Amino acid sequence: MMAQMDFEFYRDLLQKNSGIHLTPDKEYLLTTRITPLCKTLGYADLDEYTRHLRSKPEPVSIAAVVDAMTTNETSFFRDGKPFQHLKSDILTRLIEARAETKKLRIWSAACSTGQEAYSIAMTLNEMGDKLAGWSIEILGTDIADHVLQKARSGEYNNFEIQRGLPMPMTVKYFTQKNGQWVIKDELRRRTDFKKFNLLENPARLGVFDIIFCRNVLIYFNQETKLQVLKNIRSVMAADGMLLLGSCENVLSDKSGFRPVENMHGCYMRGA
Ligand SMILES: C[S@@+](CC[C@H](N)C(=O)[O-])C[C@H]1O[C@@H](n2cnc3c(N)ncnc32)[C@H](O)[C@@H]1O
C-alpha cells in the first residue's frame, strides 16, 4: 500500500500539471500505472522512484507521470449521435454562415489516439460537393505524447477499426499496410496534431468554429472544469458549437455556454 504522503504528492502533481483529479479511491490506479513506468526507467520499486521524483521533479519526469495517468479510451464515431448532429445540423448551418470565407476550423480537444479527429474528417468528406473548394482544418490536441504519436501515424489495428467504423468507410478511407489500416492522405491532409494542456490559455491555437471536448472534463474537479470551459469559450466563434461527452455538461451558465435544444451534448455561447 502506498504511503498517504506519497499519494498526496502524486495527487497534487497531477492536479497542478494536468487538472486530473485523483480521489483517494484511485490509489490502486496510481500504483498500477506508475509501477510499469518505474520499471521501464530502471528503479527498484515505486518507493525509490517516488523519492527520486520528489527530490528532482524535472518537467520530463512530470510529463511521464501525467502521460501514464491519462485514460485514453476512444473509438471511431464514439457515441454516434454527435457525428449525426455534425452532419445534419451543425455543418449545414455553418456552411451557410461561412459561404463567403469558405473556411472551417475544428478542434478535437483531448483527441487521444486520433479516432475522433479522423471521424470528423470522414464526416466532412461525406458532405461531398457542399464543401468542395473549402479550406478545412481539423486540429487534434492532447496532453499525452504517446497518444499524439499514434494519432499522427494514422495507423490502427483491426480491433481499433472494428470499434465504430463500418466496413465501407474503412475501405473508402484507409489502406492496408503490414496488417495495419492506414488513413488515406486526403483525410490526413486536413488534420494536424499538437501537444496542448487544457489548463493553458488556448489563444495561440486560433479561433474554432466547432469544438469537440468529449470525455475529458470527467477527470477534472468543478473548479478546473469551469476554467477549461471558459478557456474553450474564449477561442470559439460567436456562432460556433461545442460538443461534450454524453455524461458531461457545462455545469451552469457561469461557463458562458447554453445547451442547444434537441441536440444532446451540443452547446452554443450563452449571453
Ligand atoms: C478518454 S480520452 C477521450 C478521447 C476522445 N475525446 C473521445 O471522447 O473518445 C481523454 C483524453 O484526455 C486527455 N487529457 C487529460 N487531461 C488533459 C489535459 N489537461 N489537457 C489535454 N488533454 C488531457 C488524455 O490524455 C486522454 O487522451
Side-chain angles (χ1 to χ4, degrees):
M1 203 171 147
M2 184 181 266
Q4 178 67 15
M5 208 173 101
D6 287 346
F7 174 79
E8 287 169 5
F9 166 71
Y10 284 109
R11 182 199 61 194
D12 296 350
L13 181 150
L14 284 167
Q15 178 67 50
K16 179 163 175 250
N17 294 283
S18 69
I20 296 173
H21 180 60
L22 219 54
T23 47
D25 60 316
K26 294 282 162 49
E27 187 200 308
Y28 75 97
L29 198 70
L30 192 59
T31 314
T32 50
R33 290 187 177 176
I34 305 292
T35 304
L37 181 65
C38 315
K39 297 268 143 66
T40 314
L41 295 172
Y43 292 89
D45 54 26
L46 190 52
D47 287 345
E48 189 186 304
Y49 179 63
T50 309
R51 271 199 302 280
H52 162 78
L53 205 59
R54 275 180 183 284
S55 63
K56 269 192 170 177
E58 286 165 351
V60 59
S61 312
I62 293 172
V65 170
V66 167
D67 208 293
M69 288 308 296
T70 57
T71 300
N72 314 112
E73 169 70 15
T74 190
S75 57
F76 287 102
F77 296 100
R78 184 172 185 177
D79 300 333
K81 260 278 186 273
F83 298 92
Q84 287 169 23
H85 289 319
L86 177 65
K87 190 163 184 219
S88 55
D89 304 274
I90 306 171
L91 284 173
T92 306
R93 182 173 60 77
L94 285 174
I95 286 172
E96 216 179 289
R98 305 283 184 277
E100 270 186 27
T101 58
K102 291 195 171 6
K103 237 177 124 174
L104 273 180
R105 294 192 78 233
I106 305 175
W107 182 18
S108 167
C111 65
S112 187
T113 39
Q115 285 90 329
E116 185 173 85
Y118 291 128
S119 301
I120 296 169
M122 286 185 256
T123 306
L124 263 68
N125 213 67
E126 293 296 307
M127 300 298 290
D129 284 350
K130 290 186 188 143
L131 286 173
W134 281 58
S135 152
I136 305 229
E137 266 181 75
I138 301 163
L139 176 68
T141 63
D142 202 283
I143 198 171
D145 289 306
H146 77 281
V147 292
L148 287 168
Q149 223 174 333
K150 182 170 169 74
R152 286 188 193 107
S153 80
E155 293 191 16
Y156 300 94
N157 62 29
N158 271 326
F159 174 72
E160 291 161 334
I161 286 286
Q162 280 160 12
R163 289 190 65 200
L165 206 55
M167 197 28 108
M169 298 278 266
T170 307
V171 176
K172 186 168 174 188
Y173 294 115
F174 290 79
T175 49
Q176 272 191 298
K177 192 177 127 201
N178 304 328
Q180 294 280 99
W181 292 93
V182 186
I183 196 85
K184 286 190 180 169
D185 280 346
E186 63 190 277
L187 291 200
R188 194 196 293 274
R189 267 199 297 275
R190 287 185 163 172
T191 55
D192 188 15
F193 294 95
K194 283 191 183 142
K195 183 162 176 157
F196 180 76
N197 183 346
L198 285 168
L199 301 187
E200 287 172 45
N201 180 339
R204 69 178 162 94
L205 302 179
V207 172
F208 296 93
D209 302 296
I210 305 169
I211 302 176
F212 281 67
C213 183
R214 303 191 313 140
N215 307 301
V216 63
L217 296 179
I218 40 170
Y219 301 105
F220 302 155
N221 66 21
Q222 299 289 95
E223 193 190 338
T224 309
K225 264 187 216 176
L226 198 59
Q227 189 52 53
V228 168
L229 285 166
K230 283 183 178 166
N231 285 351
I232 287 175
R233 188 183 186 279
S234 70
V235 290
M236 191 170 99
D239 59 350
M241 186 74 83
L242 167 70
L243 292 96
L244 298 183
S246 54
C247 310
E248 296 166 321
N249 59 62
V250 291
L251 302 172
S252 70
D253 51 13
K254 269 197 240 152
S255 67
F257 286 103
R258 61 174 173 84
V260 178
E261 222 175 295
N262 300 323
M263 284 168 69
H264 179 70
C266 298
Y267 299 85
M268 292 193 76
R269 284 171 71 139

